[in-house]
Amino acid sequence: MLLPVLRRFLRPYRRDVLLVVLLQFLQTIAALSLPTLNADIIDNGVVLGDTGYILRVGGVMLAISALQVACAIGAVFLGARTAMSVGRDLRHAVFTRVQRFSLAEAGRFGAPSLITRSTNDAQQVQMVTFMSFVIIVMAPIMMIGGIIMAVRQDLGLSALLLVAVPVLLGVMVFIATRMGPLFRTIQGRIDRINLVMREQISGVRVIRAFTRQPTERQRFALANTQLRDTSLQVGYLMALMFPVVQLIINVSSVAVIWFGAGRIDSGAMEVGSLVAFLNYLMQILMSVLMASMMFMMVPRASVSADRIHAVLDTEPQITAPERPRTLPAGRMVVELDAASFGYEGAEEPVLKDVTLRLEPGRTTAVIGSTGSGKSTLVNLLPRLIDATAGSVRAAGIDVRELDPAELRARISVVPQRAFLFSGTIASTLRFARPGATEEELWQALEAAQASDFVSDVGLDARVEQGGSNFSGGQRQRLAIARALLKPADLYVFDDSFSALDYTTDARLRAGLPAATGGAAVLIVAQRVATIRGADEIIVLDEGRIVGRGTHGELMDTNVTYQEIVLSQLSAQEAA
Ligand SMILES: Nc1ncnc2c1ncn2[C@@H]1O[C@H](COP(=O)(O)OP(=O)(O)O)[C@@H](O)[C@H]1O
Ligand SMILES: [Mg+2]
């Protein structure tokens, strides 16, 4: 996949690429012409004692060298700029693609892998792009040109090339074919280190609670040692490579001088030609060396290109239709109509045939044990997932006919796991409404029962990544305040009151009608006390609705609801 990926991402830089190729071409030609001129100086200038000739040709050589340097600088500059731009574009492409992913696609790759793909893998491709600018153009021209020039200098000595080049090539192929697979293994081992490290950091509390540090240390040590061992093998090969290459180059130089001396002695060759020939030999062997380095890097970069391509090739399932319909102005009703949902690969659907209607001004509650499908139901509403059967409708329109952005703008959700972005309390709240005034922030905090602890620390208090410097209950209340700041037609609270004590929970719910301003409200909970005042309570059991009505009605008629109430009453009494 390396070539298709490169072709696609180099397209915007076609002009620069062409320029790099041209500059490299000129540079190589210049490098190839120098030894011949040098030979001329020796044979016609030094040997004959013609100082004028030496100065003239020397001047030309200087000019050519200056040209070569200029071309090299230009090529490296443009090549580096293009390669780094390709890296940036790759990261950008992965990032924007991932942003469009629904929960299903993101889950398929997993967060750590997506992060590696947009950083490390992009960098591998970026590096090989840069290397190719330097090598791919230069090596073949240098090798073929070098051979032609060497043959022109002295046909007899050129027979030596027939030995030196294949031997070097053989050695390099031998080493490269052993190194390629090792690089592949290294990528996998780096992944492994990342994974263990991530788990150590995010799971540190669990590890300490169960005093698992020794085993965890061993786990990391194992991954670490494996990486070292593979890297060492690469190191051995590298260590082997340079002396062997040196040896081949030096042995061939000795051979050239040995046989060349004989030919000069017999008058078949001039001194200058021998020097030139040595130079060309060096250039040829260097180009073979560079080309084989390239072959070593390409396998590693192709693995990375494959991994990037897999992300870019994944089509998000949830997208806006070609011609989206627009939602009418005014408060909308959101409905589930016989909606079912099953996760990919799971045998049984998690939600089965769920019908409900969320109307402005009414509070609907969903109660059910963990795993009964409540959060899945919540995810259906702003179209984070699509119903596998039945439909979700907003203002009577199937949500699949709407632009998801427009739908989501009308729905405000407090997710079960309150996620706060790092920054200050004010900035994390303004995530919902960037222009909110401080007064509006305080209103929302007041409604979310968060104003007391926020007034202690102030609106500018720091929020760490994920809100980790707040307690679970504080985090939930900040997330509720953030959701209340967003003007919406439907407010959804997914188990958002579970970390609150009974009094705070009660006060918060008492203030909700005013704070939501006549919008529809959906409260998901496991605690009866949280939802008993709702206009309609829906009892969910293993993805099915097994009862609906007010608290009083359900208490009289619904066995599942009675069981839930009884279990919680006894728990409270026991406490
Ligand atoms: N990403 C997922 N992939 C596969 N199964 C899932 C996924 N998320 C949740 N489930 C399964 O769906 C069921 C309902 O989960 P959920 O809606 O979160 O329940 P609740 O919010 O009521 O606790 C559970 O059995 C859970 O194992
Ligand atoms: Mg849930």
Side-chain angles (χ1 to χ4, degrees), residues 402-447:
L402 295 167
D403 182 350
E406 195 194 1
L407 174 70
R408 289 168 195 163
R410 302 272 205 111
I411 302 178
S412 188
V413 181
V414 182
Q416 182 164 14
R417 279 190 52 192
F419 189 92
L420 302 179
F421 282 84
S422 56
T424 62
I425 290 184
S427 75
T428 200
L429 291 181
R430 286 200 174 107
F431 207 78
R433 179 143 53 109
T437 62
E438 285 209 2
E439 202 190 320
E440 287 167 326
L441 297 187
W442 281 114
Q443 265 174 11
L445 288 168
E446 192 78 46

Side-chain angles (χ1 to χ4, degrees), residues 66-94:
L67 175 77
Q68 189 195 352
V69 169
C71 287
I73 292 176
V76 169
F77 175 78
L78 282 177
R81 199 175 65 176
T82 307
M84 302 308 132
S85 307
V86 166
R88 176 198 56 194
D89 296 351
L90 278 169
R91 288 188 292 272
H92 178 79
V94 172

